Amino acid sequence: MKLKNVNFTSIIIVSMFVLCYPFLKALTSQSNRLLVFLDALTINSLLMVLFGMIYHLHLKGDFDATAYFIHNSSSKQHISYDDFCAQRQEKRKGSFNYPLFLGLFYLVVSYLAARLLY
């Protein structure tokens, strides 16, 4: 992950979506709202880490062979595998893995908050 490719408006938008469920879950809880918030945040963080690891594989090109097979079987124009991989790599250039970064960040935040408060 190169931090020079980070778009902070995207981080803010994704963070709002990540924090929405734990916040609503804590509001609807009858007791111990902070614990409910931290539990929901931990679950969201673990899911984001999972999706981030899959997206990391995508960014590294591990699914290019499958995409090439699907592209050539469904398209009339056939291109070589090397050209296809070069096109895909050019599209992925400069991408940042927001789910993995934010998932790890919120996982650490929820762990530290739970250790400090409970």
Side-chain angles (χ1 to χ4, degrees):
M1 279 190 272
K2 296 181 181 174
L3 292 178
K4 66 180 181 178
N5 299 333
V6 175
N7 184 357
F8 289 104
T9 56
S10 296
I11 286 181
I12 292 170
I13 291 170
V14 172
S15 292
M16 287 186 343
F17 283 115
V18 169
L19 294 174
C20 185
Y21 176 72
F23 182 72
L24 290 174
K25 193 71 173 166
L27 282 179
T28 59
S29 177
Q30 297 298 324
S31 65
N32 212 349
R33 292 181 176 181
L34 184 60
L35 183 62
V36 170
F37 177 79
L38 291 175
D39 287 346
L41 184 62
T42 301
I43 292 169
N44 273 359
S45 300
L46 290 173
L47 287 174
M48 288 200 46
V49 167
L50 177 69
F51 288 128
M53 290 183 346
I54 293 169
Y55 187 60
H56 178 73
L57 293 174
H58 167 73
L59 289 178
K60 294 298 178 188
D62 289 348
F63 302 122
D64 284 349
T66 306
Y68 176 75
F69 175 74
I70 292 171
H71 173 76
N72 276 348
S73 65
S74 65
S75 176
K76 301 252 187 236
Q77 63 178 8
H78 296 282
I79 59 174
S80 71
Y81 180 71
D82 293 331
D83 292 338
F84 181 79
C85 288
Q87 289 174 359
R88 299 279 293 214
Q89 189 63 30
E90 187 64 33
K91 282 183 183 179
R92 291 188 295 260
K93 189 177 182 179
S95 296
F96 185 75
N97 196 344
Y98 292 104
L100 184 61
F101 176 74
L102 289 174
L104 290 174
F105 175 73
Y106 283 125
L107 192 62
V108 168
V109 167
S110 64
Y111 173 77
L112 291 176
R115 287 292 284 188
L116 291 174
L117 298 173
Y118 292 105

